[in-house]
Amino acid sequence: MGSPLTVASSISEIRSIWRDCRANGKTIGIVPTMGALHEGHLSLMRAARPECDLLVTTLFVNPTQFAPGEDFEKYPRPLERDLDLCRAEAVDVVFTPTPDVMYPAGHQTHVTVEQLSRPWEGAHRPSHFRGVTTVVLKLLNIVQPDIAFFGQKDFQQQLLIRQMCRDLNVPTRIQTCATVREPDGLALSSRNAYLSSEERKQAAKLASALQLGLNQLADGKTHLPGIREQMKQHLEAETEFQTDYITIVDAQTLEEPDSPTDQMVAIGAASLGTTRLIDNLLVPPLTLETLNSI
Ligand code: PAF
């Protein structure tokens, strides 16, 4: 049996754990989450566990990354279940702040990664990334980890966080971990729980449309605008998907190249009814190892 799980809801508790840890020369890893944990989050914890002495997970549904009318209120918050899952993954500390702890009255500083936050998710959710980078920087400043783990599923998010850490000299290494999928290819997400059974049957089409793009490139096709159009047609054929975007972009700049390069990612976002899904696939030869070494 490892040590029991510590649940801390104040910043002072985390600071005291941090002092103890540093005094004993221990390394710290963080897995930031909004809770409603699934296998995707657990895979981040499993990747993190052997890489640090103290593993901290944060459970915080961050209000500033939801726009008015999005699902902040209905976002699932199964706290006891999440804590049990953290215990099973040998997490040492769970940080569960309230919004007042993270954003006390008078809070007025936000972080924006200028260019990378504009396209794709940024264009469809204009205030989202400002909320994400602000809360992630705050969590990194509170926990002061050596290494932080994020999922590849939120590709643009992990890219922004890397950029923010570079730009603001945050001494935390960012590790991006592979997306975990259902057997039919649907990327795991807490929001999959919103899908009706009919929508769930259609949902894997997003991953297969991205894969179609990769297959075309593997077959030697080079006309990216044509490939992008085929991906969209595939996604929307015989489904109720409303596409926000589905495309192939440069994995560092997020711009759409005219012809294939060796650092591309296929990204997509589309809604089924009221549920918005996002996903991405790295285009070979790009790998997660390369991404994590940049
Ligand atoms: O990816 C998420 O779950 C959230 O955006 C994060 C990184 C925990 C910030 O709230």
Side-chain angles (χ1 to χ4, degrees):
M1 272 290 274
S3 46
L5 181 71
T6 300
V7 182
S9 54
S10 72
I11 294 172
S12 58
E13 286 168 274
I14 297 290
R15 292 258 191 258
S16 139
I17 292 167
W18 178 84
R19 274 193 296 275
D20 222 51
C21 228
R22 290 302 184 216
N24 291 297
K26 290 184 178 166
T27 57
I28 303 175
I30 186 172
V31 176
T33 81
M34 297 205 302
L37 301 177
H38 53 63
E39 276 297 318
H41 300 110
L42 305 187
S43 75
L44 299 180
M45 294 171 195
R46 285 171 204 149
R49 189 56 283 181
E51 299 291 322
C52 54
D53 299 314
L54 185 93
L55 176 53
V56 180
T57 290
T58 67
L59 303 178
F60 178 59
V61 185
N62 174 35
T64 65
Q65 68 189 78
F66 293 79
E70 288 189 347
D71 55 343
F72 174 68
E73 273 83 22
K74 81 164 178 176
Y75 201 86
R77 292 163 169 85
L79 178 63
E80 288 310 320
R81 178 179 172 275
D82 284 351
L83 294 178
D84 284 344
L85 289 168
C86 289
R87 269 184 207 101
E89 297 304 330
V91 170
D92 298 300
V93 177
V94 175
F95 181 43
T96 57
T98 59
D100 286 352
V101 166
M102 293 302 283
Y103 302 107
H107 181 279
Q108 54 181 300
T109 304
H110 295 91
V111 184
T112 300
V113 177
E114 299 281 348
Q115 286 170 34
L116 288 175
S117 67
R118 279 192 204 122
W120 314 121
E121 281 309 281
H124 289 273
R125 304 181 69 192
S127 57
H128 173 66
F129 282 132
R130 183 176 108 130
V132 169
T133 40
T134 300
V135 81
V136 169
L137 185 61
K138 286 169 73 71
L139 292 171
L140 296 180
N141 282 337
I142 293 164
V143 176
Q144 298 181 51
D146 299 280
I147 176 161
F149 296 79
F150 295 90
Q152 184 198 324
K153 189 187 144 268
D154 295 293
F155 185 85
Q156 191 171 0
Q157 168 175 285
Q158 63 81 40
L159 194 64
L160 261 91
I161 291 168
R162 287 173 184 280
Q163 183 73 42
M164 172 185 77
C165 289
R166 259 198 309 277
D167 291 347
L168 300 181
N169 309 99
V170 179
T172 298
R173 181 157 68 85
I174 305 302
Q175 180 83 25
T176 302
C177 301
T179 304
V180 179
R181 297 179 181 280
E182 298 282 6
D184 67 355
L186 175 66
L188 294 197
S189 161
S190 307
R191 291 191 169 100
N192 292 351
Y194 302 154
L195 296 167
S196 69
S197 59
E198 181 47 41
E199 289 165 349
R200 174 61 192 86
K201 284 184 205 144
Q202 300 178 15
K205 205 74 184 294
L206 179 55
S208 76
L210 296 168
Q211 185 60 50
L212 180 129
L214 267 62
N215 294 347
Q216 299 275 320
L217 288 160
D219 286 351
K221 307 262 170 36
T222 57
H223 186 247
L224 288 177
I227 297 176
R228 293 182 182 112
E229 187 49 40
Q230 284 186 43
M231 290 161 73
K232 183 166 186 291
Q233 280 173 16
H234 178 84
L235 176 60
E236 292 175 357
E238 291 160 33
T239 70
E240 313 295 316
F241 265 119
Q242 302 280 330
T243 309
D244 282 347
Y245 58 85
I246 183 155
T247 184
I248 295 173
V249 297
D250 182 276
Q252 292 301 320
T253 65
L254 300 178
E255 286 166 8
E256 290 180 315
D258 295 331
S259 47
T261 72
D262 58 8
Q263 55 160 26
M264 299 191 300
V265 58
I267 58 172
S271 296
L272 275 173
T274 54
T275 307
R276 189 168 180 278
L277 303 177
I278 65 171
D279 198 359
N280 69 85
L281 292 174
L282 302 184
V283 179
L286 184 62
T287 62
L288 264 184
E289 289 65 39
T290 312
L291 210 67
N292 280 322
S293 67
I294 295 172

